[in-house]
Amino acid sequence: MRTLLQLFATGLCLLSLTHCSSKSSSHRDNTFYISFKSEPTTLNPINSSDYYATKVQLYIMDTLLTKDPNTNEYMPGVAESWTVSEDGKIYTFKLRKGIKFTDGSEIKAKDVKFSFDAVLDPKYEAAHKLAYFENINSPTIIDEETIQFTVKNKYFRNLETLAKEFYIVPEAIYAKQSQENKLAKTLVGSGPYKILQYNKSKSLILTKNKDWWGFKVDQANLKDMHRFDKIYIRFVKEDAIRLELLKKGKLTYSEILRGEEFVKKIDTSNPDWSHLNKYEVDNEAYKSYSFIAWNLKNPLFQDKKVRQALAHLMNRQLLIEKFQYGKSDLAAGPIYPQSMYADKSVKPLAYDVNQAKKLLQEAGWSDSDQDGVLNKKIQGVDTKFAFSLFSTNRDLEKYFTVYKEDLKKVGIELNIKNLDWNSFIKALTERKFDSVTLAWYNTEDAIDIDFKQVWHSESANLGGSNFIGYRNPVVDKLIDESRQELNREKRIPILQKVYKTIAEDAPYLFMFTPKVMYVVDKAVDIKQPTYRFTVGIPFWTMKQAE
């Protein structure tokens, strides 16, 4: 399930280890042990918004359709079939018969209608999801197993919204607002798992729903899925504790985000870590990318040549090698480089001081007063090339200290300012900044991206995600065209033009995209290290469970 494209700052829950009697105790049963850095704020699938709630819901809840991990094409889910009208405005879903929620009730069209309508109902407080639902009218029940949706405007993500953007819940339970607090800590779904035990602030244990309909159908993307008997989720905030749990065999799997952890700390040639395998894989699942964003209302950054020069002055490859142990890719444009929508002819702007000097000179910048800082008359005022960079993560200061020195060599002054998150967001919202460093992220299945949220002129209003004020009529036109194109193969070249145009405009200094890295216990049969669009964890199982 996709969540709203979000920013994050490229950025002690004590857990006793003494109760774990020996390394690899997880091997004794068919249980998959993982960790979350945070406990979900609420599990209620109607109005939850945080990342970890979504990860839990993926195990427990069902959607109308599913997706093939190698093609990303839609496959039957709770709906055994569906049709889309020729004009792209009517969507009809035929539900499978006999699918039951874990409370024993059978899924009917009325439950699907309630699940959709609840998102639009203010009393359920799901306003953060409305942007994806406002184009779709309340559905019509044709019969107990058939439901039909009509849309206001043709849009390629309409099917995604209907197929994957809301979970199907039993109306009889979730319509009762008096149960709101109770439903925050439980889930009633029809998926492959259900909650066995919730230990507040410590763990969440899921057990297999043996009556899941997916175990009974012969469908390629569901075959051999969800074979762990239990999913044991530990809430572990501190990376050091997570690593200790891995080392002691008390976690079966962990995604690795830092190159230092993957290369240096987890040494599988050492007996302490020898029970683990490390994998670095390349797939087309959604990946975050970090950046420096230039406030385009600031005269310093309004010339494209200046923005390109600023990119040429960051030695990103050196930073990857020095601080990330080589475990990131250079970002070249407004989406991760493995995406089908990224024009592969577009290359990252290389570190090139001479090219930067040339571009700055062409843009009218020179050190006319010989004080070591570039200057230029802007609207009749002599202006020094000096600016501030806002960040919320002190760990990144080492990156920007290197950048600061390279900028200084050509006569540009950089002031690095670390702010608390609230002050940072206030500056961002009010557009009171020179430049900021952030990253965009989304869930891994957010493959078919819509560039409008971040790059369209309409999103440049206060409060919108286009907080730098980027405006390009060519990009606007292409984005509008892409939103009307339902055929992915026809949409790809349109969005590749968007990607290329934005990359050339350099409104961000596109920095890094992390590689996909993880470690997993050798007792797990992973089948294959990755599929095309996902690592494929739901296809794993313990070897001795075969």
Side-chain angles (χ1 to χ4, degrees):
M1 167 153 311
R2 173 175 54 90
T3 58
L4 180 66
L5 189 65
Q6 297 179 43
L7 290 165
F8 69 92
T10 49
L12 186 62
C13 173
L14 293 176
L15 181 62
S16 172
L17 304 180
T18 57
H19 72 282
C20 302
S21 59
S22 65
K23 183 182 290 186
S24 299
S25 62
S26 62
H27 302 179
R28 288 181 289 180
D29 58 16
N30 189 25
T31 301
F32 189 57
Y33 292 82
I34 57 177
S35 67
F36 288 176
K37 286 185 72 72
S38 177
E39 181 178 5
T41 53
T42 175
L43 293 177
N44 191 322
I46 296 174
N47 56 25
S48 63
S49 61
D50 71 77
Y51 174 69
Y52 294 109
T54 299
K55 292 191 75 167
V56 175
Q57 290 157 3
L58 285 170
Y59 285 112
I60 295 175
M61 310 305 294
D62 275 326
T63 51
L64 283 171
L65 302 181
T66 60
K67 281 191 173 181
D68 186 286
N70 279 320
T71 66
N72 203 46
E73 297 296 335
Y74 295 107
M75 302 283 284
V78 169
E80 63 182 5
S81 63
W82 70 100
T83 60
V84 182
S85 64
E86 191 172 340
D87 64 359
K89 290 190 173 183
I90 302 174
Y91 297 77
T92 306
F93 297 87
K94 184 71 174 178
L95 308 184
R96 299 179 194 268
K97 291 184 178 181
I99 295 181
K100 292 184 178 181
F101 294 110
T102 52
D103 70 340
S105 62
E106 190 171 335
I107 293 181
K108 299 296 183 183
K110 66 179 180 61
D111 298 300
V112 178
K113 177 176 172 59
F114 168 80
S115 302
F116 181 89
D117 287 346
V119 176
L120 306 179
D121 189 335
K123 74 180 180 184
Y124 290 96
E125 299 180 345
H128 54 281
K129 298 183 179 182
L130 292 181
Y132 300 105
F133 288 75
E134 60 187 4
N135 188 45
I136 303 171
N137 299 310
S138 177
T140 300
I141 295 174
I142 306 301
D143 58 43
E144 283 194 334
E145 278 81 36
T146 311
I147 190 163
Q148 188 173 88
F149 296 82
T150 60
V151 302
K152 300 166 188 174
N153 298 296
K154 184 180 179 182
Y155 173 40
F156 79 91
R157 289 206 70 104
N158 284 334
L159 182 57
E160 176 76 9
T161 298
L162 297 173
K164 298 284 289 179
E165 289 302 322
F166 69 96
Y167 292 114
I168 301 168
V169 299
E171 179 184 16
I173 292 177
Y174 283 84
K176 298 177 181 177
Q177 284 296 288
S178 60
Q179 293 192 28
E180 185 175 351
N181 291 335
K182 179 181 178 182
L183 292 173
K185 296 300 180 183
T186 189
L187 278 170
V188 181
S190 59
Y193 291 91
K194 54 188 176 181
I195 292 177
L196 176 65
Q197 185 177 342
Y198 197 149
N199 301 307
K200 184 174 175 56
S201 303
K202 294 181 179 180
S203 63
L204 177 60
I205 306 172
L206 312 182
T207 187
K208 185 185 289 187
N209 174 16
K210 295 180 180 180
D211 295 324
W212 182 51
W213 59 270
F215 296 136
K216 305 170 187 176
V217 300
D218 185 15
Q219 186 171 309
N221 70 320
L222 300 180
K223 191 175 182 180
D224 298 326
M225 287 184 72
H226 304 299
R227 290 183 292 165
F228 293 114
D229 291 332
K230 294 178 184 176
I231 309 293
Y232 195 117
I233 304 165
R234 305 184 192 275
F235 304 137
V236 185
K237 182 178 180 181
E238 294 295 324
D239 288 339
I241 295 178
R242 175 177 53 82
L243 287 176
E244 189 67 14
L245 287 167
L246 274 170
K247 184 177 179 180
K248 291 181 177 294
K250 309 312 171 190
L251 289 179
T252 317
Y253 159 89
S254 180
E255 179 184 14
I256 304 297
L257 298 178
R258 298 174 185 236
E260 181 182 8
E261 281 188 0
F262 191 79
V263 175
K264 291 290 185 179
K265 293 188 176 181
I266 302 174
D267 179 8
T268 53
S269 65
N270 184 310
D272 288 340
W273 296 96
S274 61
H275 59 290
L276 297 171
N277 281 325
K278 296 197 293 187
Y279 292 93
E280 178 184 325
V281 301
D282 192 21
N283 62 31
E284 296 179 45
Y286 187 93
K287 299 168 185 65
S288 65
Y289 70 90
S290 56
F291 56 86
I292 293 176
W294 313 114
N295 188 341
L296 301 185
K297 290 186 177 180
N298 186 325
L300 291 180
F301 308 117
Q302 289 176 353
D303 191 320
K304 177 169 68 174
K305 290 182 178 179
V306 169
R307 300 193 298 267
Q308 291 173 342
L310 291 168
H312 281 302
L313 289 167
M314 178 177 277
N315 194 341
R316 291 170 292 163
Q317 192 60 53
L318 172 69
L319 297 176
I320 288 174
E321 297 302 325
K322 186 177 179 67
F323 300 126
Q324 300 181 17
Y325 293 81
K327 298 306 180 184
S328 283
D329 294 314
L330 292 175
I335 198 170
Y336 57 104
Q338 296 87 352
S339 170
M340 65 184 78
Y341 299 113
D343 185 334
K344 302 306 186 285
S345 70
V346 176
K347 305 302 179 185
L349 294 177
Y351 178 64
D352 190 332
V353 176
N354 290 331
Q355 178 64 10
K357 288 180 177 178
K358 179 176 179 291
L359 289 167
L360 290 166
Q361 186 177 24
E362 290 174 358
W365 291 93
S366 65
D367 184 9
S368 61
D369 54 8
Q370 301 297 304
D371 67 347
V373 181
L374 297 177
N375 61 287
K376 175 184 177 181
K377 282 195 177 295
I378 298 178
Q379 298 176 351
V381 179
D382 190 52
T383 303
K384 298 287 187 182
F385 205 139
F387 68 94
S388 295
L389 172 64
F390 290 173
S391 173
T392 63
N393 188 342
R394 290 191 177 276
D395 289 343
L396 295 176
E397 194 164 343
K398 57 192 176 185
Y399 291 81
F400 301 123
T401 298
V402 175
Y403 186 42
K404 179 176 181 176
E405 291 305 308
D406 281 325
L407 291 172
K408 186 177 181 180
K409 292 174 185 176
V410 301
I412 297 175
E413 289 187 345
L414 169 61
N415 181 22
I416 304 167
K417 291 186 176 181
N418 287 290
L419 305 180
D420 65 84
W421 182 249
N422 290 335
S423 298
F424 182 90
I425 290 298
K426 186 174 187 292
L428 205 67
T429 302
E430 296 177 353
R431 311 300 199 251
K432 293 181 179 178
F433 64 91
D434 296 333
S435 64
V436 296
T437 179
L438 283 163
W440 285 116
Y441 80 99
N442 211 322
T443 53
E444 72 166 20
D445 65 343
I447 307 303
D448 293 304
I449 197 73
D450 182 358
F451 284 112
K452 184 169 184 177
Q453 181 185 336
V454 179
W455 299 108
H456 199 284
S457 297
E458 291 180 6
S459 301
N461 299 321
L462 285 178
S465 297
N466 184 358
F467 55 85
I468 62 173
Y470 175 74
R471 289 178 170 85
N472 184 322
V474 173
V475 168
D476 287 351
K477 182 178 179 181
L478 289 169
I479 289 175
D480 290 341
E481 182 183 348
S482 72
R483 287 166 61 85
Q484 293 284 312
E485 181 52 69
L486 305 185
N487 185 298
R488 179 194 285 168
E489 294 307 312
K490 294 180 180 179
R491 194 167 62 250
I492 288 174
I494 301 171
L495 289 180
Q496 286 180 344
K497 290 178 185 177
V498 174
Y499 177 93
K500 184 174 184 179
T501 304
I502 294 173
E504 290 173 349
D505 282 344
Y508 289 175
L509 194 172
F510 300 101
M511 293 169 58
F512 315 120
T513 291
K515 293 182 181 295
V516 180
M517 302 172 288
Y518 64 88
V519 294
V520 62
D521 201 295
K522 289 179 177 178
V524 177
D525 181 359
I526 67 169
K527 299 301 180 185
Q528 59 188 71
T530 188
Y531 292 82
R532 182 181 173 190
F533 290 104
T534 182
V535 168
I537 294 173
F539 295 91
W540 296 357
T541 190
M542 288 294 180
K543 289 178 180 176
Q544 75 269 25
E546 291 292 326

